[in-house]
Every structure is written in structure tokens, then in C-alpha cells.
Amino acid sequence: MNLRTLILEDLAEMRLWLSEVMREACPDAEITTAPDIRTALAIAGHEVFDLALIDLGLPDGSGLEVLRALKQANPAALCVVATIMGDDASVVGALAAGADGYLLKNQPSALLVRQIRQTLDGVPPLSPAIARRIMTHFRQTGPVVADANLTPREREVLGHIGKGLRNHEVAATLGIGTNTVAAHIKSVYAKLGISSRAEAAWHATKLGL
Amino acid sequence: MNLRTLILEDLAEMRLWLSEVMREACPDAEITTAPDIRTALAIAGHEVFDLALIDLGLPDGSGLEVLRALKQANPAALCVVATIMGDDASVVGALAAGADGYLLKNQPSALLVRQIRQTLDGVPPLSPAIARRIMTHFRQTGPVVADANLTPREREVLGHIGKGLRNHEVAATLGIGTNTVAAHIKSVYAKLGISSRAEAAWHATKLGL
DNA sequence: AAGACAATTACCCGAACAGGGGATGGCATC
DNA sequence: GATGCCATCCCCTGTTCGGGTAATTGTCTT
């Protein structure tokens, strides 16, 4: 079986280079190229791909449109973003759109070849700089400390409040009385220094519940 | 220069195996091992390390304690978590604690050797399964689309609701009447298909307000 | 110009909520 | 066996919220 691959890249020179890299990573690959969103979407309309290298900054839009189209046509398609933009917005946007990898084109081709090869084995291709950035993001959003020493039951109640349940609904799911729920909420309010359930919901999501 | 490395692992057999892997990845390394938190902390008290392989589930606590101690003694130390636990809590906890990598020990040793080698070149060592999990996390938290075509005013009100303000507080900050605020909230509810302000708060944070 | 539509503002009422009090039983620690 | 913490329940009072209804303005279409 040969691998149907799509390379979306506006600059001709870069497009050739990526094709070279692709051919080296997988000689059996059947390579199709597109210089812009329009042609890429036209091709994707009547053809299915297994792997795609997608540039983001294209003259007629963002490569993410194509990525979504490819994923819709074939959810198993491996869509790898290959760009020179390493800013947070681009990375997060690409991952949110369903990208299976994020490679920076300012890397030695040998490294790109290796990462594309690994992709086929299920290893998510992430350029080192991108991996570091993602981990740093977790380091900032991760700290789930400051638990405000809530009791397990309080944490549980707060979790349901954060999901938008009413007191009587929480009571029903936990099998306790509504008054009890209200009592737990009161102590949560006291411990968190708040006085409304919207604030409670905010803290709940912040505490990862 | 030789690389001062610490291997923290409770099971003797696994400790030997990791030492083997380490020696193969970097023959010049000067390897120190510890079977539990206590001895690891004692060693870290009078010795500085450049690289550390840290297990999480230890008999006398979590390896993250040691990780933090090492990072405090030498912020440039490369602390890599090496464990068999791949659950979200462990991964996020480790990254939040400042881990520079996360490796699963149920991988072929050749892969581990390669990833440890790459670590020294600045490539964050992440096992494929872990990288996928992290990316999936982004895929869930990232989507800033699905704006539910809220009007600017509604978005503004929703933002304040999400911060936990009451209707009259929102009214005061926006310089409008409380009834107006209530009306905006109602149309927001209709558009988002919800019926309580806790759910509204949830959506507000999700929409990044 | 006339009509359609969305956004913004406003009012009323019943239901839900916040926060204060106090009470019971269980479980641990001391 | 005394103390403290937790979870569970109840009452009460004032405030807030949610839903129905409707007027005003501006924009866009017809």
C-alpha cells in the first residue's frame, strides 16, 4: 500500500524541499502538492489522504481550514502542521483544530525526515521548541495547589456546582438532602472567601473539578 | 566534563535497568542511585546534579518532592520523570512541578536511550503516549470558536457573570440597569442553551472571558 | 418608505438562593 | 471521655435570579 500524502505550502522552493523530505522519509509515498487553500480544498473534495504537511500562513487564508476539511473527510488522516511560526496562538490554534503534530521548518531536514517517519509509527511529531512551549504552558496552568483545605465532600459538591447543577440536582445525584448541599456550599463559600455560586463555579474550574 | 546524574527508583531490578540505559545513553555519566525519597533528599543536600531520572510512586512519598529539591539546588538540572503511571494527574502534576520530560518505563530500552541522549541536546523527552495525551488536552481546552454568535454586549455581560459578579454589580460596572443585565443574561442563556449562572460561568471561562 | 429584525432597555412575579442560626451522629485524636 | 472535625439535617429572612412580556432604538431588507 502506498501512502497518499498532501503537501500544502505557498512558496515553490519550500514546497520542493518538503517534497524531498517526504520522499526521503517514505519513498513509497504518493505525493500531491497544493500552493494555496483554494486548490487544496478542491483536491481534498475528491481525494482522500493519509498524511498531510500543512503550512499555516497562506496567501488566501489559514491552513487550518484545509486541516479541518481533511480531518472531516478522513478522521484517521495524520495532519501535521509545518510552519515557521512558533507563537502560542498558532500552536494552540493548530492543536485545537486537531493537528496531530507541529513541526518547525527551520530545522535540519534530517530531523524532519526522522520525525515524519516516526509519525507513521504513532509518535506525535513535535519540534523540540514546540514541545518545550507546551510543557511550559502546563507549568503555568497546572498548579492545582491552594486547595483551600476543602473536605472531600465539599470538593465533590463544588464540582457539581461548577458543572451548573442546582442544589436539588446536586442533592439528588449525591443522595443527600438539599439542606445538606446548602450547608456544604456555605462552608465552601467561607473557605474560599466568596459569596455566590458563579464565583464558586469559577473556582471549581480553576481547581480542575 | 562528566555528567552528574541521579536515578531515583525503589525497585532494585528497575534501578539497575535504568542505570544500564543511562550508561548506554551517556558512557561518561557519573551515576548516583537512590531507592527512596529520604536518601535522595539527603544526597541532594550536599551534591548537585545535572540530570535526574525520577520515579513517582515511591514507598515514602512522591518523587516530585525530590524533583523540586533538585530544581531548587540547580535550576538548570534536567529532571525527567520515569514511571509506569501515565494518568493525567501524574503527568500534569509532574509538569507543574517543573519536570523537563516524562518517560514511560514500559518502552523498549533503545527508545529510552535515544530519548535520554536527545535530552542533553535540548529535546524534551516525552514518551509518545504522553505527548498524545498532552495534545489531546489542548484539543479540549483550546477551541475558542463556537462563539454562539453572542452580541458584544452579551459577551461583555457574560464575562462579568463568569467572574462571579451579581447582576447589580454588573449593572454598576457597565452603567446600565439591573433589569437590562438580566435581559442580556436571558438571551445568553437562550443562545447557549443553559438556565443557570453557574453554567454561564462555565461557558464564560471556556470562551476565554 | 415600509417592514423585518436584532439589540438594548425596562417591569413584575414566583422560585431559587445566600447566610445566619442551631442540632444530631460518626469518627478520629488526644 | 473530652475535644475536635466532618457530614448530615432543619429553620428562617432577605436578596437575587429566571422567565414572561413589552417598549425603544437602529440597521438592514424589501
Side-chain angles (χ1 to χ4, degrees):
Chain A
M1 95 174 213
N2 49 359
L3 195 73
R4 296 159 296 181
T5 70
L6 173 68
I7 293 180
L8 172 57
E9 166 66 54
D10 55 337
L11 301 176
E13 191 182 345
M14 188 68 83
R15 197 162 58 238
L16 281 176
W17 180 66
L18 284 177
S19 300
E20 289 287 332
V21 167
M22 192 64 225
R23 198 168 299 124
E24 192 175 338
C26 182
D28 298 337
E30 170 189 310
I31 303 178
T32 308
T33 65
D36 52 35
I37 308 271
R38 210 161 36 83
T39 47
L41 287 179
I43 296 173
H46 58 84
E47 214 166 327
V48 180
F49 293 94
D50 305 307
L51 176 64
L53 293 185
I54 299 173
D55 188 26
L56 287 187
L58 294 163
D60 59 342
S62 165
L64 295 184
E65 297 178 40
V66 177
L67 195 155
R68 292 198 191 88
L70 290 174
K71 277 287 181 186
Q72 195 167 13
N74 175 22
L78 289 168
C79 297
V80 178
V81 170
T83 179
I84 48 170
M85 300 192 292
D87 58 297
D88 279 18
S90 300
V91 176
V92 173
L95 292 182
D100 297 293
Y102 200 107
L103 296 176
L104 293 178
K105 288 186 295 196
N106 55 3
Q107 294 183 140
S109 59
L111 209 158
L112 274 182
V113 169
R114 174 149 40 100
Q115 291 196 293
I116 292 176
R117 265 199 203 124
Q118 290 181 345
T119 304
L120 306 175
D121 299 332
V123 179
L126 287 178
S127 289
I130 301 303
R132 258 198 304 278
R133 189 177 298 271
I134 290 179
M135 291 172 64
T136 306
H137 175 90
F138 262 89
R139 220 159 283 169
Q140 293 163 349
T141 61
V144 195
V145 274
D147 247 336
N149 50 23
L150 297 179
T151 69
R153 202 55 158 173
E154 288 166 349
R155 219 185 310 278
E156 199 171 2
V157 170
L158 178 57
H160 288 114
I161 296 298
K163 287 189 298 189
L165 299 186
R166 291 168 210 281
N167 283 4
H168 71 87
E169 292 174 316
V170 177
T173 56
L174 295 182
I176 59 179
T178 58
N179 292 313
T180 311
V181 174
H184 286 308
I185 295 179
K186 273 191 289 189
S187 46
V188 168
Y189 283 178
K191 289 179 180 174
L192 295 180
I194 59 179
S195 63
S196 77
R197 65 180 31 218
E199 292 176 278
W202 189 81
H203 280 87
T205 59
K206 192 177 168 61
L207 292 178
L209 303 174
Chain B
M1 93 170 219
N2 48 1
L3 195 73
R4 296 158 297 180
T5 70
L6 173 66
I7 293 179
L8 173 56
E9 165 67 54
D10 55 338
L11 301 175
E13 192 182 342
M14 188 69 84
R15 197 163 57 241
L16 282 176
W17 180 66
L18 285 177
S19 300
E20 288 288 330
V21 167
M22 192 63 225
R23 198 168 299 123
E24 192 174 338
C26 182
D28 297 338
E30 170 190 310
I31 303 176
T32 307
T33 65
D36 52 36
I37 308 272
R38 209 162 37 82
T39 46
L41 288 178
I43 295 173
H46 59 83
E47 213 166 327
V48 179
F49 293 94
D50 305 306
L51 176 64
L53 293 185
I54 299 172
D55 187 26
L56 287 186
L58 295 164
D60 60 341
S62 165
L64 294 183
E65 296 178 41
V66 176
L67 196 156
R68 293 198 190 88
L70 289 173
K71 277 286 182 188
Q72 195 168 12
N74 175 24
L78 290 168
C79 296
V80 178
V81 170
T83 180
I84 48 170
M85 299 192 293
D87 59 296
D88 278 17
S90 299
V91 175
V92 172
L95 293 182
D100 297 293
Y102 200 107
L103 297 176
L104 294 178
K105 288 186 294 194
N106 54 2
Q107 295 183 140
S109 59
L111 209 158
L112 275 182
V113 168
R114 174 148 41 97
Q115 290 196 293
I116 292 175
R117 266 200 200 121
Q118 290 181 346
T119 303
L120 306 174
D121 300 332
V123 178
L126 288 178
S127 290
I130 302 302
R132 258 197 306 278
R133 190 177 297 270
I134 291 179
M135 291 171 65
T136 305
H137 176 90
F138 263 90
R139 219 159 284 171
Q140 292 163 351
T141 61
V144 194
V145 272
D147 248 334
N149 50 23
L150 297 179
T151 70
R153 202 58 158 172
E154 288 167 347
R155 220 185 309 279
E156 199 171 2
V157 170
L158 178 56
H160 289 116
I161 295 299
K163 288 189 297 189
L165 299 186
R166 289 163 215 281
N167 283 3
H168 71 85
E169 292 174 315
V170 177
T173 54
L174 295 182
I176 60 179
T178 59
N179 296 312
T180 311
V181 174
H184 287 309
I185 295 177
K186 273 187 292 190
S187 45
V188 169
Y189 285 178
K191 289 179 181 174
L192 295 181
I194 57 179
S195 64
S196 77
R197 71 182 27 219
E199 293 175 277
W202 189 81
H203 279 88
T205 59
K206 193 175 170 61
L207 293 177
L209 304 174

